[in-house]
Amino acid sequence: MNSSKLNYGRTLLLGFGFLASSLAWSLYNALVPTMLESRFLLTTSQIGIIMTIDNIFGVIFQPVVGTLSDRSNTKIGKRMPWILFALPISAIFFSLIPTASELKMMMFFIIGFNFFMSLWRSPVIALMPDLTPPPLRSKANGLINLMGGIGAIIAFFVGGRLANHDPTNKISFGMGSATMVFSLIMLLLFVREPKLSLNFETNKEKKKRSKLRLSRAELQSLALILGAIFFWFAAYNAIETFFTLYAVNVLGVKAGTATMILSAFSLSFVAFAFPAALVAGKLGRKRTILTGLTILLVCFLPILFLRSVALVLALLLVGGIGWAMVNINSLPMVVELAGSEKIGEFTGFYYFASFSASIASPILFGWIRDLSGDYNLLFIYALIAFGIAFGLMLGVKHGESSNTP
């Protein structure tokens, strides 16, 4: 294998796993709250609690499953058994969610879907660093996130149209389940893990890790990276959760318009996902992440003083580029410290940090907003969180590929 060139075809095929996950979650987050409200008359707080189940399961199960997949040893590899077992079951539960006529039945389907999704998410993401040399992992992660963006676009545009024609949402969720199964078939047909999985560590690195898994300096860098991940996802999740309410109450727009404004952030992230990896190849991952955080800070600061929808949209569009520079390069930094035998475990650490933020941040900002009564504090909160992440990243000394600056 030529370790100096990325296998674009195989990486895009690996991306089908992330496409399936992204499509499913986009449909789930968009349509489940409306079903819970319209069918069962649940309050907003009750819906919010139910919608955190996926994050709670992620915190609990993803590190465990990642570690267990590292230790798996079968004829079809160490990741594929988890994917082959859990993905079809999660697709079945997903398709059943809109069929529930009673709340307890819907909760059974929701919990089943979330549980089995948590069993294959870490393994499918760990496939990328398993099969990609360290210097190329940012590029590969960029392509995989591009595939995830395509999944979200399919969910919003195709799933949204189907939902308009079928208010029960059975067709939309059926489309999501079918896409998940199709993605599994693509992985099974074209990703042959036993033949492709490679150990990219040198003999010197193997000897070092056999004596000490991580040095004190490496452990410090890992802790700082995970802390930074927590804080920048805390900022991101607060904005994702409350921007619509911010825009309605502060900018004075309708909820639909607010959603379209925020989509600019997501669209520029998807468009810049792969270029962000190319930038890291020139600057290094740490400097690219710091540059991305700087862009986010510079873009979000003026929003505190603006009431122009057009200017806010433009700043969010640029901010999505900064978010791509941060997000695309963070997982490769974490797994760089793992060694080839611990990739699943360290992928679980990454998701533990990000999902912890997804649980804590909306609750924390919701409490802050309730005390202050001011939605304008949203971007002050985000600026503080991004600033803390920037400070933590300054102390990181490890996580670069040996072939980057």
Side-chain angles (χ1 to χ4, degrees):
M1 174 181 175
N2 186 350
S3 63
S4 65
K5 293 184 179 180
L6 181 65
N7 187 326
Y8 288 91
R10 191 185 71 215
T11 303
L12 288 171
L13 289 167
L14 286 172
F16 272 100
F18 197 53
L19 181 150
S21 175
S22 179
L23 184 147
W25 287 124
S26 296
L27 284 173
Y28 178 87
N29 289 328
L31 299 178
V32 167
T34 62
M35 288 189 285
L36 290 172
E37 182 181 60
S38 62
R39 293 186 188 183
F40 309 115
L41 305 178
L42 298 188
T43 65
T44 303
S45 60
Q46 290 172 328
I47 294 170
I49 292 170
I50 292 172
M51 296 303 290
T52 63
I53 291 175
D54 63 318
N55 296 317
I56 295 170
F57 278 22
V59 167
I60 296 171
F61 295 113
Q62 305 257 80
V64 175
V65 172
T67 301
L68 291 175
S69 70
D70 284 332
R71 300 172 183 173
S72 301
N73 183 18
T74 73
K75 291 182 179 180
I76 60 171
K78 54 186 179 181
R79 316 295 181 197
M80 291 304 296
W82 293 88
I83 301 168
L84 183 59
F85 166 71
L87 193 154
I89 300 176
S90 64
I92 292 171
F93 274 108
F94 187 73
S95 67
L96 292 174
I97 289 173
T99 68
S101 57
E102 297 180 358
L103 180 59
K104 61 181 179 181
M105 186 58 66
M106 179 172 279
M107 289 305 304
F108 175 72
F109 295 149
I110 285 174
I111 291 171
F113 166 70
N114 280 282
F115 173 72
F116 284 100
M117 283 290 288
S118 69
L119 295 187
W120 67 270
R121 185 183 295 186
S122 284
V124 81
I125 297 301
L127 275 174
M128 182 277 288
D130 276 345
L131 309 181
T132 308
L136 304 177
R137 285 173 181 165
S138 286
K139 287 184 179 180
N141 201 38
L143 285 177
I144 286 173
N145 274 270
L146 178 62
M147 292 290 284
I150 293 172
I153 290 169
I154 293 172
F156 291 131
F157 286 94
V158 179
R161 290 196 172 192
L162 291 174
N164 287 336
H165 290 288
D166 174 31
T168 68
N169 295 321
K170 292 178 183 178
I171 298 177
S172 296
F173 278 71
M175 181 272 295
S177 295
T179 304
M180 292 167 70
V181 173
F182 173 77
S183 298
L184 174 62
I185 293 171
M186 297 298 288
L187 290 173
L188 290 174
L189 288 178
F190 298 107
V191 179
R192 307 198 181 279
E193 189 184 346
K195 294 180 180 179
L196 296 175
S197 292
L198 297 174
N199 189 330
F200 297 110
E201 289 187 286
T202 64
N203 289 331
K204 182 178 179 180
E205 289 169 332
K206 289 178 186 177
K207 290 178 180 178
K208 176 184 175 182
R209 293 188 187 276
S210 67
K211 294 178 181 178
L212 180 66
R213 188 174 70 179
L214 289 180
S215 68
R216 179 177 295 181
E218 288 172 327
L219 280 171
Q220 183 179 21
S221 286
L222 176 63
L224 289 170
I225 293 171
L226 293 176
I229 289 168
F230 175 88
F231 279 104
W232 67 54
F233 271 105
Y236 172 79
N237 278 285
I239 292 172
E240 183 182 46
T241 303
F242 293 104
F243 180 82
T244 300
L245 290 170
Y246 162 85
V248 169
N249 288 278
V250 177
L251 300 180
V253 301
K254 294 181 179 179
T257 303
T259 303
M260 289 188 286
I261 295 171
L262 187 59
S263 70
F265 188 85
S266 300
L267 289 172
S268 61
F269 166 78
V270 171
F272 204 73
F274 187 67
L278 299 179
V279 172
K282 300 292 184 181
L283 297 181
R285 292 168 184 157
K286 175 182 173 179
R287 278 185 278 179
T288 302
I289 288 174
L290 289 173
T291 301
L293 289 169
T294 301
I295 291 172
L296 287 162
L297 290 167
V298 170
C299 287
F300 284 1
L301 182 60
I303 293 178
L304 294 174
F305 311 101
L306 293 175
R307 297 297 179 266
S308 166
V309 172
L311 289 176
V312 170
L313 187 149
L315 288 169
L316 288 174
L317 196 65
V318 178
I321 295 174
W323 180 238
M325 297 174 77
V326 172
N327 197 18
I328 295 303
N329 295 294
S330 54
L331 176 63
M333 286 199 80
V334 172
V335 298
E336 188 73 29
L337 293 164
S340 60
E341 302 302 319
K342 299 290 184 180
I343 286 174
E345 180 181 349
F346 278 58
T347 301
F349 291 162
Y350 170 86
Y351 279 115
F352 179 86
S354 61
F355 279 124
S356 295
S358 299
I359 296 170
S361 188
I363 295 172
L364 176 58
F365 179 75
W367 177 73
I368 292 171
R369 190 268 160 191
D370 286 343
L371 287 178
S372 65
D374 186 5
Y375 275 108
N376 201 42
L377 290 176
L378 176 62
F379 283 94
I380 296 176
Y381 175 92
L383 285 166
I384 292 172
F386 279 132
I388 294 172
F390 186 96
L392 291 171
M393 280 302 300
L394 288 174
V396 173
K397 306 299 182 186
H398 298 82
E400 296 287 1
S401 168
S402 58
N403 289 8
T404 55

